[in-house]
Amino acid sequence: MVPQYAPSLRSRLPVVALLLETIFILFFAFYMEVPYIFPIVFYAEFQDVHVMVFMGFGFLSTFLVRNGFSSAGFSLLVAAMAVQWAIVFQTLLQLPYPGRITMESLVFAEMSAFSSLISMGVVIGKTNPVQLLLMSLMEVTGFILNKWLIQTLLKKPCFNLYFTWLVHWTIDTDGIEPRHEKEKSDRKMTLFSLFGKDFLWIFWPSFNSLIVHLLNNDMDLAVPLNVICSTYLAMAVSAVTAIAISVLFNPRGKINMLHVQNCILAGGVAVGGSMSTFPQPWVAMAVGLSAGIMSTLGHQYIKLLMEVVFKCHDTCSILSVHGIPAILGWFVQLFLQFANSDSTTFAVRFAVYHIVILLITLASSLTMGVITGIILKWRFWRPPQDRKCFDDQACWKFPHLAKHK
């Protein structure tokens, strides 16, 4: 007998999606224009990030054995919507150019989608597509507002952290069990997930190089080779370290594939979090080593601690993959600035400036997270029940399970 799954989303998803698309089309028709010719010097890097967003993240969350359709399909849905909303909203804030689509606006839209997909990894399998769309809109809104606020006050952009943990904590403090019976993987689905992780790993130097352009507000700026080299070496070291630590902390001395597919990016995230021009390659490699250790141990122990103590279930271990290495990168940047500064006064001012940026980013992320969680908690969106989580049959058609009358 076919199990009974979630009610049809026909009255929710088509209305939300088509209404948003109609609004976007009208906005583009009356307010946006594309220059006939504009520089596309960095189209290669944009293309790399495009592959990361739509292919890397598309396969990344497919490790769940009964949630592969939802992981891949909803990633495409969220990314496609986030890119459009990012272009519209940054234009409304006159970022970077009012009414014109430029290479910088396209790149920043991809970065915004990247942020949404990272956040999606925390709640994938426990939310329906309508909730994911709304969360992506709120995430992109907070992402761009945070950038605008820091550019306005401190003349330097920064990026959101720890958004979705507050979303999850708000909507799910007493709902889903920490260890769901359907939250399992198998060999085939894990290989699909590793395929997506490999795409992210390969193209991450391009991602960090584009961050340098956005931080300097100059898409014509030549990226220092040291940035690409530092990212590459840090990621290489973190990949080796993640495998080694996985063996070391396994009771039977075996490699945990979850550690491989979740922690090999830690070095690139840490270097991107610091965005410093490392004085020597060994410094970036040391950062990659530290990030690999912290990320793997975080996946091994902190994920369970978050579930038990804070009732915050992190499906894709986003805290270990992105949160911890990003904070490590923040401390690395602060330390390098102190080490390379000849003036104590300048170093102290930089430290204060750096701490203010972090506090503003954390405050905006946590505030938007709570607001988004309250919105998504409404029963109107028909959130999935516990027994219907991590299962494609709640939203996808399976011909071999269809009832024949």
Side-chain angles (χ1 to χ4, degrees):
M1 180 179 178
V2 179
Q4 298 297 318
Y5 286 93
S8 172
L9 293 174
R10 181 176 296 174
S11 62
R12 304 294 190 274
L13 180 59
V15 174
V16 172
L18 295 179
L19 177 62
L20 288 172
E21 288 298 341
T22 301
I23 295 173
F24 293 162
I25 290 173
L26 291 175
F27 183 86
F28 275 78
F30 291 101
Y31 194 69
M32 300 294 296
E33 64 178 16
V34 180
Y36 182 71
I37 297 177
F38 64 88
I40 55 172
V41 178
F42 299 101
Y43 181 74
E45 288 88 347
F46 165 78
Q47 202 170 29
D48 290 347
V49 176
H50 197 60
V51 172
M52 294 172 71
V53 168
F54 287 94
M55 184 167 285
F57 279 104
F59 285 98
L60 182 62
S61 303
T62 55
F63 64 92
L64 296 168
V65 66
R66 301 184 64 175
N67 203 63
F69 278 22
S70 297
S71 298
F74 295 162
S75 294
L76 174 63
L77 178 67
V78 166
M81 186 65 73
V83 166
Q84 297 174 75
W85 172 236
I87 295 174
V88 170
F89 191 61
Q90 67 179 327
T91 302
L92 291 175
L93 291 177
Q94 297 184 344
L95 295 173
Y97 304 106
R100 301 184 69 189
I101 299 178
T102 65
M103 180 56 68
E104 184 176 355
S105 62
L106 291 178
V107 167
F108 190 75
E110 292 283 353
M111 296 289 188
S112 302
F114 205 97
S115 175
S116 296
L117 291 171
I118 290 175
S119 298
M120 176 182 164
V122 177
V123 297
I124 188 68
K126 299 163 290 186
T127 47
N128 63 34
V130 182
Q131 290 177 300
L132 291 176
L133 279 180
L134 294 174
M135 190 184 77
S136 70
L137 296 179
M138 295 295 292
E139 167 80 1
V140 170
T141 302
F143 187 90
I144 297 176
L145 284 176
N146 184 68
K147 177 178 183 289
W148 174 82
L149 179 63
I150 293 180
Q151 277 184 317
T152 302
L153 297 180
L154 302 175
K155 308 303 180 184
K156 182 177 180 181
C158 193
F159 302 112
N160 286 351
L161 295 170
Y162 300 101
F163 167 82
T164 318
W165 292 284
L166 267 294
V167 174
H168 186 283
W169 181 80
T170 304
I171 66 175
D172 195 36
T173 54
D174 54 359
I176 300 170
E177 294 297 324
R179 293 292 180 180
H180 198 280
E181 60 178 358
K182 296 179 183 177
E183 191 184 0
K184 299 181 292 186
S185 185
D186 64 5
R187 182 177 180 181
K188 180 176 68 175
M189 302 307 292
T190 301
L191 286 175
F192 272 116
S193 179
L194 188 60
F195 178 74
K197 181 69 75 173
D198 286 342
F199 268 100
L200 294 176
W201 196 91
I202 291 170
F203 291 118
W204 205 275
S206 296
F207 179 77
N208 278 356
S209 68
L210 284 175
I211 291 180
V212 171
H213 292 304
L214 292 177
L215 289 175
N216 292 277
N217 293 315
D218 188 357
M219 293 302 292
D220 296 325
L221 177 71
V223 178
L225 177 61
N226 203 4
V227 172
I228 298 176
C229 181
S230 297
T231 303
Y232 182 79
L233 291 174
M235 294 185 68
V237 173
S238 67
V240 175
T241 303
I243 295 175
I245 297 298
S246 179
V247 173
L248 183 63
F249 283 85
N250 186 281
R252 303 177 64 181
K254 294 186 177 182
I255 302 172
N256 187 339
M257 181 57 80
L258 292 177
H259 293 162
V260 176
Q261 72 183 39
N262 282 293
C263 304
I264 61 175
L265 293 177
V269 176
V271 171
S274 63
M275 272 298 101
S276 299
T277 302
F278 293 94
Q280 296 293 334
W282 69 266
V283 179
M285 297 172 73
V287 172
L289 177 70
S290 303
I293 294 173
M294 295 173 67
S295 180
T296 309
L297 294 179
H299 185 279
Q300 181 79 12
Y301 300 110
I302 296 181
K303 180 180 179 180
L304 180 60
L305 181 66
M306 293 288 290
E307 294 173 358
V308 175
V309 178
F310 299 102
K311 296 184 180 180
C312 186
H313 178 271
D314 187 353
T315 303
C316 295
S317 298
I318 299 302
L319 177 62
S320 302
V321 178
H322 296 278
I324 294 175
I327 294 297
L328 172 64
W330 181 86
F331 280 106
V332 168
Q333 184 178 15
L334 190 62
F335 175 79
L336 289 176
Q337 187 63 37
F338 271 108
N340 297 329
S341 177
D342 296 329
S343 172
T344 304
T345 303
F346 176 80
V348 172
R349 288 180 178 177
F350 179 85
V352 173
Y353 173 81
H354 210 50
I355 292 171
V356 170
I357 288 178
L358 179 65
L359 293 177
I360 291 176
T361 301
L362 288 174
S364 62
S365 299
L366 299 180
T367 302
M368 290 297 295
V370 172
I371 295 173
T372 304
I374 293 173
I375 294 174
L376 298 188
K377 196 172 184 178
W378 292 348
R379 302 303 300 177
F380 176 78
W381 308 119
R382 295 187 178 180
Q385 300 174 4
D386 180 43
R387 63 187 177 87
K388 300 169 185 175
C389 293
F390 302 104
D391 201 316
D392 285 332
Q393 293 185 59
C395 298
W396 296 87
K397 178 182 177 181
F398 288 85
H400 66 287
L401 294 178
K403 292 182 178 180
H404 298 283
K405 296 183 179 179

